[in-house]
């Protein structure tokens, strides 16, 4: 069954937004994603759509703009390599690709909305920051994190109440099932550690390299190393 068919009926009581730009974004995402990632992206979008109306300050977030950001949030994992840079974090690659896509396919998108989508994608792995930015940015990250944490995740995410029930989670997962996510995501992150390690040292991706790749090391390359070495070098200027 195609993505178009899967989203043609409500899931967990939620209607998937529809527009020519969203239709094009669905096709674009699917052509630059593995099946594992397609289902991750779609679940994340539905979880965000379910959560938004339940939790201020997200009640007024545009469903269409929210969905566009989440649909394209992992373009930096593009298996074709077309959208992957040699020197940028995968979140930045995804944000840049989404911005380029929207500029081409929807010239009516304002500069402010383009920036919102860019921020939502670039910061989606930094929930502790994204949650305190504009509502669209925070809600996108919340939907994406919910795909890794499952239902009843309020305590982990420090929310005021539960916003994703087991029944809602099961309804979405039935249509977009998990497909060896652990190995699929692990392979992607290990690939980033292998092929552009410099983009992983200042973030969580390097932890996959340390755990799963023999010989991968972050010694002397993490933020603490850079800061402490920098401060040590400053002493030379005080002489």
């Amino acid at each position: 069954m195609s993505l178009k068919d899967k989203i043609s009926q409500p899931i967990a009581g939620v209607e998937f937004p529809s527009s020519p730009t969203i239709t094009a974004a669905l096709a674009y995402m699917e052509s630059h994603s593995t099946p594992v990632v397609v289902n991750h992206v779609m679940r994340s979008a539905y979880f965000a759509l379910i959560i938004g109306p339940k939790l201020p300050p997200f009640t007024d977030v545009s469903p269409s703009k929210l969905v566009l950001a989440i649909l394209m949030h992992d373009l930096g994992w593009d298996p074709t390599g077309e959208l992957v840079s040699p020197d940028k974090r995968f979140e930045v690659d995804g944000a840049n690709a989404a911005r380029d896509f929207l500029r081409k396919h929807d010239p009516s998108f304002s500069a402010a909305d383009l920036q919102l989508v860019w921020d939502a994608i670039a910061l989606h792995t930094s929930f502790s920051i994204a949650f305190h930015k504009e509502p669209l940015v925070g809600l996108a990250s919340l939907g994406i994190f919910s795909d890794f944490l499952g239902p009843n995740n309020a305590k982990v995410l420090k929310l005021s109440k539960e916003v994703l029930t087991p029944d809602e989670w099961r309804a979405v997962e039935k249509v977009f099932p998990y497909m060896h996510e652990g190995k699929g995501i692990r392979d992607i992150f290990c690939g980033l550690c292998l092929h552009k390690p410099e983009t992983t040292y200042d973030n969580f991706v390097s932890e996959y390299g340390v755990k799963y790749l023999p010989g991968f090391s972050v010694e002397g390359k993490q933020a603490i190393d850079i800061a402490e070495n920098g401060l040590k070098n400053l002493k030379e200027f005080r002489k």
Side-chain angles (χ1 to χ4, degrees):
M1 186 183 296
S2 69
L3 283 182
K4 182 179 179 181
D5 291 333
K6 289 180 179 180
I7 65 175
S8 63
Q9 299 296 323
I11 299 175
V14 169
E15 296 269 3
F16 203 84
S18 177
S19 73
T21 304
I22 289 174
T23 298
L26 281 164
Y28 189 63
M29 178 273 293
E30 195 169 17
S31 68
H32 291 284
S33 304
T34 64
V36 166
V37 175
V38 170
N39 279 15
H40 158 62
V41 165
M42 297 305 297
R43 289 191 306 269
S44 298
Y46 273 100
F47 293 151
L49 291 169
I50 290 167
I51 293 168
K54 300 179 183 180
L55 192 66
F58 304 129
T59 52
D60 294 328
V61 169
S62 162
S64 295
K65 294 184 179 72
L66 173 68
V67 160
L68 285 168
I70 297 178
L71 285 178
M72 295 187 279
H73 81 270
D74 278 333
L75 291 179
W77 292 350
D78 177 15
T80 74
E82 179 184 341
L83 306 177
V84 178
S85 74
D87 60 350
K88 298 178 184 66
R89 284 178 56 159
F90 78 87
E91 300 98 328
V92 175
D93 282 343
N96 287 345
R99 182 172 57 194
D100 292 344
F101 172 89
L102 289 170
R103 281 174 172 165
K104 178 180 179 180
H105 289 271
D106 193 345
S108 68
F109 238 74
S110 69
D113 285 338
L114 282 173
Q115 189 63 55
L116 271 181
V117 170
W118 195 96
D119 287 352
I121 297 174
L123 292 172
H124 77 266
T125 60
S126 302
F127 181 72
S128 58
I129 297 174
F131 194 74
H132 300 285
K133 279 187 61 64
E134 293 85 353
L136 184 147
V137 178
L139 182 54
S141 184
L142 183 52
I144 294 162
F145 266 79
S146 292
D147 191 46
F148 290 93
L149 298 175
N152 295 339
N153 58 33
K155 184 176 181 180
V156 177
L157 294 173
K158 299 180 180 179
L159 304 177
S160 60
K161 61 180 181 179
E162 296 294 352
V163 289
L164 181 63
T165 70
D167 285 345
E168 290 168 330
W169 181 89
R170 281 190 286 265
V172 174
E173 199 272 339
K174 182 178 180 180
V175 182
F176 299 102
Y178 287 80
M179 303 164 59
H180 310 293
E181 260 69 8
K183 183 181 186 305
I185 301 300
R186 186 186 309 134
D187 288 348
I188 289 169
F189 287 143
C190 286
L192 293 171
C193 291
L194 281 171
H195 300 298
K196 47 179 189 176
E198 293 82 3
T199 70
T200 72
Y201 297 143
D202 68 344
N203 58 84
F204 75 96
V205 177
S206 63
E207 297 172 26
Y208 281 82
V210 170
K211 186 170 184 177
Y212 295 110
L213 296 178
F216 184 89
S217 174
V218 295
E219 186 175 353
K221 302 167 184 174
Q222 293 182 296
I224 186 173
D225 302 308
I226 295 170
E228 291 192 346
N229 288 334
L231 291 171
K232 187 187 299 182
N233 292 336
L234 289 178
K235 293 179 182 178
E236 298 296 321
F237 297 98
R238 296 195 184 102
K239 294 181 180 179

